[in-house]
Amino acid sequence: MTLETLIIQCKKEDAKAQELLYRRYSSILFAICLKYSPNYEEAQDNLQDAFITIYKRIEQFKGKGSFEGWMKRVTVNTVLQKYRKKKLYDIKDEQQLEQEAPVAVATDSVPLDFLLKIIQELPDRYRLVFNLYVLDGYSHKEVGEMLGISDGTSKSNLARARHILKEKIEQYESANSA
């Protein structure tokens, strides 16, 4: 079945087409959910929520741009909406934030699976800002708009995330250099 036909059938709420859409894109969208979720089980729940939203809103896809890109945006927004409701964000004094030096860490000696693990272990508020800003390339203003927080809170949470990651990387390196 072509993608165009699949989309048309999903718009008609055809269960077989919805199942095929799920099978075709679940692994791609699950990777996104895993990036923004604190654990595997919650990522699975977020994937299900994302597909429910995709099925409900598929009429909004007008064929302009990539359908996969549209589904990815819906998935990110669905996951972020869940965390936005939790009021996870600390507000930090802007002057104190400006005094904090950016954290730089050499990660050449650290395995990728360890890096992904420690990013996923970050508290939600830090992980979401870190992923949006560092991994997805959004500005602090965009992150703030997406999460319903100020630019300063986004900057503060990013600084804290980087600090936590730096400490964990340093612990890993000292434990593995002996």
Side-chain angles (χ1 to χ4, degrees):
M1 184 180 301
T2 68
L3 180 58
E4 292 78 19
T5 305
L6 186 59
I7 294 168
I8 291 168
Q9 294 298 59
C10 284
K11 286 181 179 183
K12 294 178 182 177
E13 299 180 13
D14 180 302
K16 288 183 181 182
Q18 289 174 337
E19 180 184 353
L20 184 56
L21 184 73
Y22 181 87
R23 286 186 191 177
R24 194 177 286 185
Y25 292 101
S26 62
S27 62
I28 294 167
L29 299 181
F30 183 69
I32 292 169
C33 291
L34 197 54
K35 183 166 69 168
Y36 289 100
S37 303
N39 56 56
Y40 191 87
E41 293 76 23
E42 197 162 326
Q44 289 176 316
D45 291 345
N46 288 333
L47 178 66
Q48 297 307 315
D49 293 343
F51 267 101
I52 290 168
T53 303
I54 288 167
Y55 297 146
K56 285 181 182 176
R57 296 187 181 166
I58 198 161
E59 285 291 334
Q60 295 175 3
F61 180 73
K62 303 298 181 193
K64 295 180 181 177
S66 158
F67 181 67
E68 184 176 322
W70 177 82
M71 288 192 307
K72 287 178 179 179
R73 280 190 309 280
V74 169
T75 301
V76 169
N77 288 332
T78 300
V79 174
L80 293 181
Q81 184 176 8
K82 178 179 180 178
Y83 295 112
R84 210 179 289 132
K85 293 177 184 177
K86 289 185 176 183
K87 304 285 185 206
L88 301 169
Y89 303 96
D90 293 336
I91 297 175
K92 192 171 182 178
D93 181 19
E94 295 273 344
Q95 289 179 332
Q96 182 183 356
L97 176 66
E98 289 174 10
Q99 294 171 358
E100 292 180 8
V103 177
V105 176
T107 58
D108 298 342
S109 62
V110 180
L112 180 60
D113 60 336
F114 176 74
L115 288 173
L116 295 174
K117 178 182 174 288
I118 64 173
I119 290 169
Q120 196 171 23
E121 290 173 349
L122 287 169
D124 291 339
R125 62 185 173 262
Y126 303 151
R127 185 186 65 257
L128 295 174
V129 171
F130 182 85
N131 284 337
L132 288 167
Y133 185 83
V134 175
L135 301 180
D136 293 336
Y138 289 101
S139 69
H140 284 294
K141 181 179 179 176
E142 292 169 321
V143 171
E145 290 170 0
M146 293 171 85
L147 299 175
I149 60 176
S150 72
D151 297 4
T153 301
S154 175
K155 291 174 186 176
S156 170
N157 287 337
L158 177 62
R160 290 179 183 184
R162 286 181 168 162
H163 180 74
I164 291 168
L165 294 173
K166 180 181 182 222
E167 286 181 350
K168 289 186 177 194
I169 290 169
E170 287 172 349
Q171 289 171 0
Y172 175 87
E173 288 175 334
S174 66
N176 290 298
S177 66

